[in-house]
Structures are given as C-alpha cells and as structure tokens.
Amino acid sequence: EKIVLNTSFWKKVNFVVKSVDPILQVLQKVDSGDSLSMPSIYYEMNRAKLAIKSINGDDASKYGPFWDVVESHWNLLYYHPLYMAAHFLNPSYRYQPDFMAHTEVVRGVNECIARLEPDTAKRV
C-alpha cells in the first residue's frame, strides 16, 4: 500500500510507460496479422528508438537503457546481413527524407556484397 500510494513510484511508472510505448506500437503492428517484411520491421524499430530518444529529451542517460535492451534483443535474434541489405536497397525507405544509413545497415550491405563477390577489386 505504501508503494502504491507513493507519487514517486507513479512518476517512474509513467516514465517507463511513455518510454516503452513506441516499442509496444511496433509489436502491435507485428502481431496484427499483416505480413511485415524484416526490412519494414527494422524500419519501424528504428523509428521507435528515435521516438524513445525524443520522448526522453535526447538525454542518453534516460533513453540509453531502453535502447540497450532493444539493440541487444534485435542483434541477438533478428540481425542478418540480408535483412540490412534489403532495408538499404528498398526504395520506399532509401529515398525518404529521414533515411539514415546506420553502421549496422552498411555493414550488412557490405557483408552481402562480399559474399556475392569474393574478389575485392570487383567488389569495389
């Protein structure tokens, strides 16, 4: 009872709820039955991360722990060079004004190219 009536507790709960809401929205899209491609899920997750950053006023000490959880799970379960290359080469994402070629995306593209063409001179 003491914890539930504590206003500090509810401020922290509100902070967590606001911070995880963008991720929950992505999970709802994935769970909706629409067949989302991995590049589109990557795009949505990246947008969710940016929303979390914005919600927390670009304060890395506030959004950092949430990003760490998202990135650790994403990298462990869903990172694949082919998904990153598909995202990078998809015109619907590539030519949006807010498109950013993140290092993991560029690394994925380079890994795919290296696998397709072993000769470095031809790759370049």
Side-chain angles (χ1 to χ4, degrees):
E1 181 181 334
K2 186 177 181 180
I3 292 172
V4 173
L5 295 176
N6 187 338
T7 57
S8 174
F9 168 77
W10 288 109
K11 285 181 182 179
K12 291 176 183 176
V13 167
N14 188 38
F15 165 73
V16 171
V17 168
K18 284 189 336 187
S19 296
V20 299
D21 185 56
I23 299 298
L24 291 175
Q25 291 176 15
V26 174
L27 293 175
Q28 286 174 338
K29 286 180 184 179
V30 170
D31 192 44
S32 70
D34 296 339
S35 58
L36 296 174
S37 65
M38 285 306 292
S40 66
I41 295 171
Y42 173 81
Y43 175 76
E44 292 296 331
M45 289 299 288
N46 189 52
R47 287 185 61 208
K49 283 175 45 183
L50 294 176
I52 292 169
K53 182 178 179 182
S54 176
I55 288 167
N56 290 292
D58 293 341
D59 184 351
S61 66
K62 291 182 179 178
Y63 70 81
F66 296 102
W67 273 31
D68 292 343
V69 170
V70 169
E71 288 177 356
S72 68
H73 282 78
W74 179 264
N75 290 338
L76 180 67
L77 299 172
Y78 301 109
Y79 176 82
H80 192 280
L82 193 56
Y83 299 150
M84 299 298 106
H87 171 74
F88 184 82
L89 297 171
N90 188 327
S92 66
Y93 305 124
R94 181 74 173 96
Y95 296 108
Q96 287 192 1
D98 62 343
F99 179 81
M100 292 186 298
H102 297 278
T103 54
E104 71 266 11
V105 174
V106 173
R107 184 176 62 240
V109 172
N110 289 335
E111 287 177 27
C112 285
I113 292 171
R115 186 168 181 185
L116 290 170
E117 180 54 66
D119 183 16
T120 306
K122 289 181 182 177
R123 225 182 296 149
V124 172

